[in-house]
Amino acid sequence: MVTKKKAAKKAGGIQAKLKFNPEWIKDPVPPFFKNLDRLAIRELAAAKRDFAARVKDILARGQR
Amino acid sequence: MRQSVPLRIFQGPSESGRARDTSRPVMLIGFQNQGNLGLGYLSSVLRQYGYSVHVVDIEQEPEKILQIALELNPVLIGFSLIFQFYIDRYALLVYLLRANGINCHFTMGGHFPSLSYQQTLELVPELDSVVRFEGETTLVELVDAVSTGQNWRDIHGLVYQDGEQVVATPARALVEDLDQLPYPERNYEPVEVLGRSIMPILASRGCARTCSFCSIHTFYRAAPGKIVRTRKPAEVVKEMRLLHEERGITIFLFQDDDFPLFGKTWRQWAGEFVDELHRSGLPEKVIWKMNCRADAVDRELFIRMRDAGLYLVYMGLESGSEQGLETLHKQITVEQNLRAVNILKSIGLMWEYGFMLLDPSSTFVSVRENLNFLRTILADGCLPVTFCRMLPYDGTPIKDELVRTGRLRGDVCNPDYDFLDPRLSDFYEGLTNVVSLKGWIHGLEAVTLQLGTAWHEVAIIERLFPALPGMQDYVKTLRRITMTSNELLLGVVEDLSYVYSDGRENHLDPEAIEKSREQILEDLITERDDFIYQHQETLLDALQLGALPNLVEEPAIVTASA
């Protein structure tokens, strides 16, 4: 087994084109679509509340 | 980077007596994941009629979207809603835009707005209209009318609020000849894996099947016209060739609802597609992925497709229990699912699968049947475990059935249901507590995604790079790591099921499980980076030379499992 330190060194030596990139798999469904266990739903709801708060903030600033 | 492919003449809206003012742009807002071919087709059709189009990613900051809208002063903003649980986010954005003086026509399209248009107008009251079903023709006619101040309320395929009433104009027929559509606009840089560029593409639209958890067939059946339409194989190959030659695309992801394979007519289509690919010389330069049902997997046809560049098959297996398959109305058996997997393994084709561990008919018995099924198909460590819980979306027969039986719970953004056995709800809750599903199955940091990525790289290296020494050993190592991960996760799920069904003592230690997960990820990344680092020069040389694929009869994915 390669040690963690050695692996980190190798990862650093890997050119950008060949770096590990799990983000590319967005097919057939993007990750958030699968994020529907209850924990993820709670996180999604929190993100939406955050979004709503920012919308309200923008509107409030606009009104000033 | 714009794609310099010639536009064809889409015989969409009738030209007789139509006026248009193309001086103001059209703004389209939607998800940009997977390239979003839907928005791409709408954009290219609008451009064909002289409009400039600005596509905006819904995931951008709302302030940024507002700023773009203020600067563009569009004649119309079209909101593309793919995922119903994001409708409240769209509603807030629409509200924000209106409140800041964006007074142009707002319309929305997609599966949910098409099928649940009344609810859409209630949830997003600032909308002027909803475009139902395939929107290419309707949207052009709508923009034409709005841009010239004409009456748009007679246009077919629309829904709008008229006082207290919701008015739906006659539904627009589905696009009959997909080859009349211009190629979708792909106004973005492609995603790359190991330096190879990826692009989505479409060979057909529609699905003839009737799975109970899916709204795709409902969407197509509710609109007039033929449900499944295929492009001409030669036209699909022509688009692939252009994308390869002009933009260097080497990996194509077919996004068809159900790739045309099933039955005599579509098998013939697939055969012609393969022949056309060989005539074009593309199988030596590109690889492609498609989605299909397990009952469409046929050894002879799939060998032909493999040899024509098919490198990855996604199948919606969905259940390893006959009862589950029946509830999901898959019209397929567990044996057929197993047969499809075995065929793909035997011919060296990489595959992926969708799987629902839990559905409204689930029992502890069916959960264990599902776990056994997953153990069977993944016994060789060929892929990581993945599963989800079926959720009842609008427009699906299963949601209607849950409403009828009083079991539907949640709301439009968080649809849910009661299990017949209430202990299953506790089991699922317990599972999310003991095993972070986000860390194992869902999300960017999840074991499943990380292992899946490593396996994809293997499939791509085997098909698009020269043979690398040590590949067989690397594949064996990946299998070992995958097996360790699968055994742990499946064991935890099974043990927990007995805790809730039989009252067994819960000995599971979430901290220990999490430590094991971290170790699996560390091993994976270490081995992966070590292998890539060793062969970096060869891989980079191949990219610079545009090397031909390393087509092999029996890729290491299969041979290593023996």
Side-chain angles (χ1 to χ4, degrees):
Chain A
M1 185 72 64
V2 182
T3 65
K4 195 175 180 180
K5 198 175 171 187
K6 223 171 162 184
K9 195 178 167 188
K10 282 177 181 170
I14 292 173
Q15 289 207 11
K17 270 184 185 302
L18 302 179
K19 284 216 189 295
F20 195 55
N21 176 24
E23 283 191 50
W24 84 274
I25 305 180
K26 292 174 177 171
D27 181 67
V29 285
F32 65 84
F33 187 59
K34 286 182 172 178
N35 282 351
L36 285 173
D37 58 71
R38 291 183 179 189
L39 177 71
I41 284 174
R42 284 197 287 270
E43 289 177 4
L44 204 60
K48 285 172 181 170
R49 280 197 298 276
D50 176 57
F51 184 84
R54 275 188 289 144
V55 168
K56 279 182 190 163
D57 181 54
I58 294 164
L59 291 173
R61 276 189 275 124
Q63 282 158 6
R64 281 200 296 274
Chain B
M1 188 166 108
R2 285 290 307 279
Q3 182 186 336
S4 61
V5 290
L7 291 180
R8 289 156 237 235
I9 302 304
F10 171 47
Q11 301 300 325
S14 161
E15 288 298 286
S16 57
R18 296 197 64 81
R20 68 177 52 98
D21 176 357
T22 59
S23 59
R24 289 166 69 193
V26 175
M27 186 169 167
L28 300 177
I29 301 176
F31 286 94
Q32 283 297 284
N33 288 348
Q34 308 175 61
N36 198 331
L37 286 173
L39 282 180
Y41 275 110
L42 291 173
S43 300
S44 58
V45 169
L46 283 164
R47 281 191 198 280
Q48 186 174 287
Y49 283 87
Y51 293 102
S52 59
V53 183
H54 198 102
V55 178
V56 175
D57 191 343
I58 182 72
E59 297 199 286
Q60 284 198 58
E61 293 296 313
E63 297 93 330
K64 179 71 183 165
I65 298 175
L66 172 61
Q67 188 192 339
I68 293 169
L70 286 167
E71 284 168 10
L72 281 177
N73 184 27
V75 65
L76 175 144
I77 299 181
F79 299 87
S80 164
L81 177 69
I82 305 175
F83 307 107
Q84 79 174 57
F85 54 86
Y86 258 47
I87 193 163
D88 54 355
R89 181 165 179 161
Y90 275 79
L92 282 164
L93 180 64
V94 170
Y95 178 70
L96 174 73
L97 296 175
R98 273 284 187 256
N100 280 275
I102 309 292
N103 292 317
C104 66
H105 190 103
F106 283 179
T107 193
M108 185 178 277
H111 282 201
F112 180 80
S114 293
L115 296 169
S116 302
Y117 51 81
Q118 279 184 305
Q119 213 176 350
T120 303
L121 290 170
E122 278 171 28
L123 292 165
V124 196
E126 292 84 2
L127 287 177
D128 295 294
S129 65
V130 166
V131 172
R132 297 184 76 200
F133 309 117
E134 292 177 342
E136 283 89 355
T137 305
T138 306
L139 187 61
V140 172
E141 288 190 7
L142 180 61
V143 179
D144 283 352
V146 170
S147 69
T148 53
Q150 297 171 77
N151 176 29
W152 52 266
R153 289 176 175 79
D154 296 334
I155 293 170
H156 288 194
L158 288 180
V159 181
Y160 56 91
Q161 191 85 36
D162 185 11
E164 293 295 304
Q165 280 200 317
V166 172
V167 179
T169 64
R172 171 91 54 185
L174 300 170
V175 176
E176 195 177 328
D177 180 2
L178 297 179
D179 290 318
Q180 280 195 345
L181 292 169
Y183 296 146
E185 187 166 277
R186 296 176 169 96
N187 212 352
Y188 50 84
E189 286 303 317
V191 175
E192 286 187 359
V193 176
L194 295 172
R196 301 293 191 186
S197 300
I198 300 172
M199 203 56 101
I201 190 167
L202 213 60
S204 68
R205 286 184 183 178
C207 177
R209 310 313 288 252
T210 51
C211 300
S212 63
F213 58 91
C214 180
S215 65
I216 289 174
H217 62 90
T218 325
F219 175 89
Y220 287 111
R221 281 171 205 276
K226 200 173 163 189
I227 296 168
V228 179
R229 291 131 303 137
T230 51
R231 297 174 63 193
K232 290 183 193 69
E235 288 294 325
V236 179
V237 172
K238 189 175 161 191
E239 186 180 355
M240 291 169 77
R241 202 181 64 235
L242 280 166
L243 287 167
H244 175 67
E245 289 170 357
E246 297 192 357
R247 301 193 61 184
I249 306 300
T250 47
I251 303 172
F252 290 93
L253 306 178
F254 279 92
Q255 305 285 39
D256 301 41
D257 301 305
D258 184 25
F259 196 79
L261 298 172
F262 197 72
K264 194 179 165 188
T265 307
W266 293 332
R267 269 184 67 93
Q268 190 179 336
W269 185 96
E272 286 173 20
F273 176 59
V274 165
D275 292 342
E276 202 62 47
L277 279 169
H278 283 298
R279 272 195 287 275
S280 72
L282 280 178
E284 292 177 2
K285 300 167 189 162
V286 308
I287 55 177
W288 46 283
K289 178 212 166 178
M290 55 82 171
N291 314 320
C292 71
R293 285 170 53 90
D295 54 4
V297 176
D298 169 90
R299 189 180 176 85
E300 184 200 349
L301 177 61
F302 275 62
I303 286 174
R304 289 185 64 202
M305 291 198 293
R306 179 198 69 189
D307 295 344
L310 176 63
Y311 84 107
L312 178 57
V313 178
Y314 175 90
M315 293 184 292
L317 299 178
E318 312 306 359
S319 183
S321 141
E322 300 293 357
Q323 173 198 293
L325 290 171
E326 196 176 320
T327 302
L328 301 172
H329 206 249
K330 286 290 292 183
Q331 297 184 296
I332 201 168
T333 62
V334 174
E335 193 184 331
Q336 282 175 295
N337 272 344
L338 288 171
R339 184 177 161 274
V341 168
N342 289 334
I343 288 175
L344 295 179
K345 284 186 182 185
S346 71
I347 64 174
L349 263 173
M350 167 109 182
W351 53 285
E352 290 179 329
Y353 63 100
F355 199 81
M356 298 176 183
L357 181 70
L358 293 157
D359 67 64
S361 70
S362 288
T363 61
F364 282 105
V365 172
S366 70
V367 166
R368 281 170 209 132
E369 284 174 347
N370 279 335
L371 296 175
N372 286 337
F373 177 83
L374 290 172
R375 278 200 178 96
T376 303
I377 63 172
L378 306 174
D380 55 1
C382 60
L383 284 175
V385 168
T386 187
F387 59 76
C388 66
R389 170 184 178 159
M390 195 224 85
L391 289 174
Y393 292 115
D394 270 55
T396 61
I398 209 154
K399 184 210 158 190
D400 295 343
E401 177 61 15
L402 289 165
V403 169
R404 195 184 67 77
T405 52
R407 292 170 60 200
L408 188 73
R409 297 287 175 264
D411 55 39
V412 68
C413 292
N414 300 312
D416 206 347
Y417 52 90
D418 288 339
F419 288 108
L420 292 167
D421 182 343
R423 293 175 302 170
L424 276 171
S425 292
D426 299 334
F427 159 66
Y428 191 72
E429 194 72 32
L431 188 59
T432 57
N433 290 333
V434 175
V435 180
S436 160
L437 290 185
K438 201 174 173 195
W440 279 93
I441 293 184
H442 308 310
L444 283 176
E445 299 301 317
V447 173
T448 292
L449 185 68
Q450 304 260 330
L451 278 168
T453 302
W455 281 112
H456 274 96
E457 287 185 340
V458 168
I460 289 167
I461 290 170
E462 287 183 333
R463 301 297 291 265
L464 289 176
F465 288 90
L468 299 179
M471 187 67 169
Q472 296 275 344
D473 288 339
Y474 177 56
V475 166
K476 276 182 191 166
T477 303
L478 267 189
R479 280 182 187 274
R480 178 182 53 75
I481 297 171
T482 309
M483 273 194 269
T484 305
S485 167
N486 290 353
E487 280 166 17
L488 179 62
L489 181 57
L490 291 171
V492 167
V493 178
E494 186 164 40
D495 287 352
L496 202 66
S497 76
Y498 284 107
V499 170
Y500 286 91
S501 66
D502 294 19
R504 287 188 194 172
E505 201 173 334
N506 187 352
H507 294 294
L508 296 165
D509 177 356
E511 274 185 33
I513 296 168
E514 178 57 18
K515 273 187 186 162
S516 300
R517 187 188 76 84
E518 286 171 3
Q519 186 61 52
I520 288 166
L521 282 182
E522 190 181 319
D523 287 352
L524 169 67
I525 301 303
T526 302
E527 296 292 345
R528 183 271 175 198
D529 283 346
D530 186 38
F531 181 72
I532 296 295
Y533 186 73
Q534 275 178 45
H535 300 291
Q536 179 157 243
E537 280 183 30
T538 312
L539 294 168
L540 290 172
D541 285 350
L543 288 174
Q544 279 174 357
L545 294 169
L548 296 182
N550 169 38
L551 285 174
V552 289
E553 282 297 311
E554 295 294 337
I557 289 172
V558 170
T559 50
S561 70

